[in-house]
Amino acid sequence: MRANKVGMLAAGHAGVDVYQGAVPALVPFLVAERGYGYVAVSGVVLAATLLSSVVQPVFGALADRWRMPWLIPASMVTAGLGVALSGVTDSYALTWLAVALSGLGVAAYHPESARLARIASAGSHVRMSWFSLGGTLGFASAPVLVTPLLAVGGLGASPWLVVPGVVGALVTLPVILALSGRGAARGAAAEASGRDDWASFARLTLVIVFRSVVYVGLSAFVALYAGGGAAGAVALFVLFGGGAVGTVLGGRLAARWGRVRAMRAAYAASVPAVAGVVLAPGPLMYVFVAAAAITLYAPFSLHVTLGQDYLPRRVGTAGGVTLGLAVSAGGLASPLVGWVAETASLRVALGCLALVAIPAWLLSRTLAEPSRPAVTSEP
């Protein structure tokens, strides 16, 4: 039963995170059909990423104050509605507002859903990794869903993009109802027992920021480094596929070694893995792309549960920061990676990402495994 509930929450997670990947997939169509320049489309992408990352901790604080399970399906539909409306108007301002609405929906979803996933997983790192995997797969599948649809129907077909959000809400609704009763009350009591460790949480947040800079930099430029075209598409496929493998592997390693030890090992391995992307000759590069993705995503679900255990009285805030603000920092740093690529070379820029992975590893070594209260959702 627990596995089924986490699986349904993971499906819902995929249904909302598809909209994080959908906005970049819209960019070529906004350029082709509306003639938007780089500045204009950058503003559209920023409307989703920046608003989502900034507002997400706010929703986390609200989730700590009030239980709002109804917000999960409402936010999923809102995220889908925003992207759906982005293609039905020629007004740049309205398009920007529609994409911002989608970002708001994504922001509202994560803190409350992470809280319920914590209750449904009942302390299992493996189950929590499956919840995180849902989001990873949703993000990765966005281009596959968006590009063929808009290639056939143009931006006028964008209303169909509301479907994943609606389906995700319907799939998740029974689990939300089941976890919002007595089990949720017991989970809330467990959350309230414990002492918030803000110093450890701050160091964990910095770890996530450095990790995000590395991964977002790779995802933005590895296709170009591979040569573009089919070779670039293969590089992205390997990167996203490796991320999915790493998400599940991280949960299993944490169950065997503990979360902090697993995280340290992953970040230690990420340094040579990322360096290998630019140092390995020929097709061997793809092996290191896969290794980089696996090592950078193995700690992903562990970040969430560690953050919640460092802040047991504020698990909503912890979820909002670990899933939102800290992760989005990589997107804010990507222009700097692009500047290095333009002034030096793309090889140098990607090589610098290996150096950025080092402080993530060093900071992870300062963290200790927190005591974890038992969290249950059913007898």
Side-chain angles (χ1 to χ4, degrees), residues 111-284:
E112 184 69 14
S113 66
R115 185 183 67 82
L116 286 187
R118 172 185 172 90
I119 296 172
S121 64
S124 169
H125 303 309
V126 174
R127 293 190 193 113
M128 197 66 180
S129 72
W130 283 106
F131 171 72
S132 298
L133 176 63
T136 303
L137 294 179
F139 181 87
S141 67
V144 179
L145 297 175
V146 174
T147 302
L149 175 67
L150 300 189
V152 173
L155 287 172
S158 66
W160 287 102
L161 294 175
V162 76
V163 171
V166 173
V167 171
L170 292 175
V171 169
T172 308
L173 190 59
V175 186
I176 295 171
L177 295 175
L179 294 179
S180 298
R182 290 186 307 162
R186 288 197 299 273
E191 291 168 10
S193 62
R195 186 175 183 180
D196 292 336
D197 184 354
W198 284 101
S200 294
F201 182 76
R203 294 196 296 274
L204 175 65
T205 300
L206 287 175
V207 169
I208 301 170
V209 168
F210 285 117
R211 175 260 175 205
S212 177
V213 171
V214 177
Y215 185 79
V216 173
L218 276 177
S219 61
F221 297 106
V222 73
L224 291 174
Y225 184 74
V234 171
L236 283 177
F237 177 80
V238 171
L239 186 71
F240 292 151
V245 172
T247 302
V248 176
L249 179 63
R252 296 192 177 279
L253 290 178
R256 176 173 294 185
W257 296 347
R259 290 169 294 176
V260 171
R261 184 182 174 191
M263 182 173 62
R264 290 172 182 169
Y267 282 127
S270 73
V271 178
V274 176
V277 173
V278 296
L279 297 177
L284 189 59

Side-chain angles (χ1 to χ4, degrees), residues 254-351:
R256 176 173 294 185
W257 296 347
R259 290 169 294 176
V260 171
R261 184 182 174 191
M263 182 173 62
R264 290 172 182 169
Y267 282 127
S270 73
V271 178
V274 176
V277 173
V278 296
L279 297 177
L284 189 59
M285 177 199 72
Y286 294 106
V287 176
F288 282 95
V289 170
I294 291 171
T295 54
L296 290 170
Y297 255 99
F300 188 68
S301 65
L302 312 184
H303 295 154
V304 181
T305 59
L306 277 170
Q308 290 174 331
D309 287 346
Y310 284 137
L311 301 183
R313 294 177 177 271
R314 294 174 174 83
V315 295
T317 298
V321 172
T322 55
L323 286 171
L325 182 62
V327 174
S328 299
L332 300 179
S334 59
L336 179 60
V337 180
W339 176 80
V340 174
E342 286 187 359
T343 56
S345 69
L346 190 54
R347 183 184 180 91
V348 171
L350 294 182

